[in-house]
Amino acid sequence: MPPLLPRDHLASIPYPHADILGIADQLSAEEQTRLHDIHEFLQTEIAPAVGEYWDRDEMAFDLLPPLARQGLGEIELSGTSRLFRGLVYAELTRCDVSLSTLVGIHNELVVGMIDALGSDEQKERWLPGLRRFEAVGCFALTEPEHGSDIAGGLSTTATRTDDGWVINGAKRWIGAGTFADFAIIFARDTVGGEIRAFIVELDRDGVEATKIEGKMGLRIMQNANMTFTDVVIPHDNAVPGAQSFANVNDFLCSSRAWVGWQGAGLQLGIFDKAREYGVSREQFGRPIAKFQLVQEPLVRILGNATASLSMMAQVARIQEQGRLEMPFAALAKATTTRLARESAALGRSIAGGNGMITQHGLSKMMADAEAIFTYEGTYDINSLIVGRAITGVSAFV
């Protein structure tokens, strides 16, 4: 890692590590080395390439093989500590939010769920390719008319027949839905009304997916509107361990915590870019980093990032102990993404007019901050989950 404390002369300041309190120092020596290698790989090989894909609103398929070679298709099967996995997700977000979203959903909600709740046949069929990004799955829960109220309002149906399960319904905002090999679909069993999970290959008759156009952020990740019209799947495509919504709550809770790591990681990236700009950009005959109106927001960004990393490190400890509950994950997600939104605005402002273009990365990160502030439960919904926990009174009904 570069030295933590800068030398006196502004022009010769080494690039400081944004983890100023050394959260990563809590890792084992082996995991520290591995994290450093991933950081270097992402910053030297991936970060220089992602901007053009973001500008074109295009998926970066050619970046998946190098991500796989780094083991990023199988993070949830790696046996590493929760802190290490969280910091890897933070480093991915520091590099690019869209790719971190793809990798996070892939691991947390697809690989993790099939490994934990899938049948032996489902694991044998899908996990080897998923681990190498040779196969991609998507997680189809949200619907056009049901986002925050999806647990009670889900309307996609699954009907068991002699020929298999028949799936009917629509899904929205499904990441990777335009190119995935299969979707883990959540549908309500028409007998009994339980919400169950099914693996639906996307080349089956009756499946349609269209790209959601015009997104302000998360532009590399391709989100889809999906419809399922009398789609017949084999009985064996039902995920045996997901026969009710309660069976997947742990995954949704962990996924919410993962977005907390995204909030922290995005702020590391914002600090990197804002500081780099402040040191290199000269006005009035001196670097703008010499001015108080630049130093103060840089410190605030670093403070927000450090508070977020520290919160997420404690969440990782709780998660390691098997004690993660939804209010903890909701508080972490709401807090780090709120701070990321503030940090993104501060960073973009430091760059002035140049902060309005994607060349310096700050406008891109500001737009992407809006995405993580909104998905996996909006800030407001997560706040109300925590509010219910601390008051004993629900604001939802």
Side-chain angles (χ1 to χ4, degrees):
M1 291 292 183
L4 183 61
L5 298 176
R7 293 190 288 270
D8 291 335
H9 192 272
L10 190 62
S12 62
I13 292 178
Y15 204 79
H17 190 51
D19 180 10
I20 196 168
L21 296 186
I23 298 299
D25 295 346
Q26 300 172 39
L27 297 172
S28 68
E30 180 181 354
E31 287 187 343
Q32 286 187 49
T33 299
R34 180 78 182 107
L35 183 67
H36 180 266
D37 291 345
I38 289 172
H39 169 83
E40 291 298 314
F41 158 73
L42 291 170
Q43 292 300 318
T44 59
E45 296 189 37
I46 303 300
V50 291
E52 60 184 84
Y53 294 100
W54 197 94
D55 286 340
R56 294 198 302 261
D57 193 11
E58 179 181 300
M59 175 59 198
F61 291 106
D62 59 328
L63 300 183
L64 291 181
L67 291 173
R69 288 193 290 272
Q70 290 291 322
L72 299 180
E74 52 184 357
I75 299 170
E76 286 304 302
L77 306 181
S78 64
T80 52
S81 69
R82 280 289 179 181
L83 180 59
F84 173 80
R85 282 178 268 175
L87 287 168
V88 169
Y89 289 136
E91 287 295 340
L92 280 158
T93 314
R94 186 181 195 171
C95 172
D96 178 73
V97 180
S98 293
L99 288 181
S100 76
T101 299
L102 176 66
V103 173
I105 292 173
H106 174 90
N107 278 278
E108 294 279 338
L109 295 176
V110 178
V111 171
M113 186 172 292
I114 291 176
D115 181 63
L117 303 181
S119 66
D120 289 341
E121 188 276 332
Q122 289 166 356
K123 295 176 190 178
E124 291 171 6
R125 178 180 180 186
W126 293 112
L127 286 180
L130 289 169
R131 296 175 80 139
R132 299 187 296 270
F133 280 123
E134 293 170 359
V136 174
C138 61
F139 187 84
L141 177 60
T142 301
E143 297 183 348
E145 301 302 325
H146 299 286
S148 299
D149 69 344
I150 191 65
L154 187 141
S155 59
T156 300
T157 61
T159 303
R160 186 180 175 93
T161 69
D162 291 341
D163 295 327
W165 289 94
V166 180
I167 309 295
N168 279 284
K171 299 293 181 179
R172 180 163 170 79
W173 292 113
I174 308 307
T178 60
F179 60 85
D181 298 283
F182 66 91
I184 298 179
I185 294 288
F186 288 83
R188 194 177 299 278
D189 191 338
T190 53
V191 177
E194 286 283 5
I195 296 175
R196 304 185 60 178
F198 303 86
I199 293 176
V200 179
E201 298 89 349
L202 298 188
D203 59 356
R204 290 188 177 273
D205 292 340
V207 178
E208 292 189 14
T210 57
K211 177 182 173 182
I212 296 176
E213 302 282 359
K215 292 188 303 176
M216 67 178 290
L218 213 69
R219 290 167 59 83
I220 296 175
M221 170 61 99
Q222 307 295 289
N223 293 84
N225 288 316
M226 306 182 75
T227 58
F228 302 85
T229 306
D230 294 328
V231 179
V232 180
I233 59 173
H235 294 123
D236 290 344
N237 278 31
V239 180
Q243 299 192 35
S244 73
F245 203 71
N247 297 143
V248 300
N249 272 345
D250 286 346
F251 293 93
L252 298 176
C253 187
S254 294
S255 179
R256 199 151 294 188
W258 152 66
V259 184
W261 281 109
Q262 284 193 296
L266 178 56
Q267 292 179 81
L268 298 180
I270 293 164
F271 176 76
D272 291 343
K273 294 297 185 183
R275 185 201 171 278
E276 177 184 5
Y277 188 88
V279 171
S280 61
R281 172 70 168 174
E282 291 193 2
Q283 292 287 278
F284 305 102
R286 67 191 72 178
I288 65 171
K290 193 171 179 65
F291 296 110
Q292 295 174 18
L293 289 175
V294 172
Q295 290 193 4
E296 190 279 335
L298 279 174
V299 172
R300 205 178 337 160
I301 293 167
L302 184 60
N304 286 349
T306 302
S308 298
L309 280 175
S310 300
M311 174 180 262
M312 292 313 303
Q314 179 61 14
V315 169
R317 282 190 284 271
I318 292 172
Q319 203 168 6
E320 200 87 62
Q321 297 163 5
R323 297 191 297 113
L324 184 65
E325 299 175 11
M326 185 58 82
F328 303 157
L331 179 63
K333 190 273 180 184
T335 302
T336 69
T337 60
R338 171 177 59 82
L339 293 176
R341 204 182 190 205
E342 176 186 322
S343 295
L346 291 168
R348 195 225 59 79
S349 181
I350 286 171
N354 285 333
M356 299 295 292
I357 57 177
T358 56
Q359 175 186 352
H360 300 283
L362 289 161
S363 66
K364 171 178 174 287
M365 288 187 284
M366 187 175 180
D368 285 341
E370 292 299 310
I372 63 173
F373 185 73
T374 302
Y375 68 41
E376 284 295 331
T378 64
Y379 174 81
D380 305 276
I381 289 296
N382 279 303
S383 296
L384 294 180
I385 290 171
V386 180
R388 180 176 58 190
I390 61 179
T391 65
V393 179
S394 175
F396 293 106
V397 292

